[in-house]
Amino acid sequence: MSESQDDSREQIKAERHQQRQQKVKEAVDAKVAEAQEERGVLMVITGNGKGKSTAGFGTVARAVGHGKSAAVVQFIKGGWECGERNLLQKVGVPFVVMNTGFTWDTQDREKDMQACEETWAPAEKMLSNPSIDLVLLDELTYMVAYHYLDLERVITALKNRPPHQHVIITGRSCHRSLIELADTVSEIESVKHAFDAGVKAQVGFDY
Ligand code: ATP
Ligand code: MG
């Protein structure tokens, strides 16, 4: 093949690419133009992969970075100090943390139910407070899965929240009713996790 034939083939390829991209751009622009509604979004971040809570906290940081007000409720208090809490409390983000050491291997159901109730009460208040732009309900899914928290109460509070308020729920095994109610649902899949290769949870990365 001559050099000039080569050049014209490259040119045709470039033109076709440009035409395809133009079509993609038109389709995206049309969708962007269509999406005009502004309102609070209910998001669920679930699945077995790592990154649910970090995505929730990332959105809190994003909101605060824009001067919005955010609040966090943590329904599981692990054994570890939470790095995000250390940072976000300094910039005035209120945190409510379940006051027992509720973990996955809980033994005392009565005590945990009581702790859940005490944690849900301030969460419910946040969900009726129009001055809060974003509420992160970290690990809420387990409270519903364990029947510590009545699903209908959660749904009522979410439905009645201020229209502009965003809410993020994280945790595995999310109840299908919450998934149905949510506007945005992301399921994080675990492809691999360092823990399975014997790497321990490390400060500043895992918590
Ligand atoms: P992260 O807080 O890192 O975003 P997560 O919220 O998605 O994780 P959780 O189920 O809340 O996940 O788990 C809390 C802890 O367990 C974290 O320290 C996390 O690193 C670890 N973890 C998360 N996913 C896995 C997994 N697939 N295997 C082992 N450990 C995990
Ligand atoms: Mg989590």
Side-chain angles (χ1 to χ4, degrees), residues 94-195:
F95 266 69
V96 174
V97 184
M98 217 159 123
N99 68 3
T100 61
F102 178 96
T103 54
W104 321 104
D105 52 355
T106 181
Q107 302 290 323
D108 191 339
R109 191 175 158 83
E110 277 305 306
K111 199 170 140 227
D112 284 342
M113 282 184 89
Q114 178 64 30
C116 175
E117 186 59 42
E118 282 165 16
T119 314
W120 175 247
E124 226 169 16
K125 278 204 181 130
M126 289 169 180
L127 294 171
S128 66
N129 183 348
S131 71
I132 304 178
D133 300 304
L134 169 67
V135 181
L136 170 60
L137 302 172
D138 193 34
E139 323 293 356
L140 175 84
T141 57
Y142 303 100
M143 300 301 108
V144 175
Y146 281 49
H147 301 287
Y148 286 0
L149 195 55
D150 179 39
L151 175 66
E152 286 312 313
R153 277 177 78 193
V154 177
I155 288 178
T156 302
L158 291 170
K159 279 188 176 167
N160 293 337
R161 76 188 195 278
H164 72 276
Q165 188 181 72
H166 304 299
V167 176
I168 301 177
I169 294 171
T170 77
R172 297 174 196 205
S173 315
C174 187
H175 195 285
R176 61 182 147 66
S177 303
L178 293 176
I179 287 181
E180 272 164 30
L181 185 65
D183 304 289
T184 299
V185 179
S186 291
E187 186 166 358
I188 301 188
E189 186 190 348
S190 185
V191 176
K192 48 160 101 165
H193 194 288
F195 179 74

Side-chain angles (χ1 to χ4, degrees), residues 81-98:
E81 200 184 352
C82 172
E84 292 94 333
R85 184 181 177 192
N86 294 346
L87 177 73
L88 293 166
Q89 276 190 328
K90 281 188 198 150
V91 293
V93 174
F95 266 69
V96 174
V97 184
M98 217 159 123

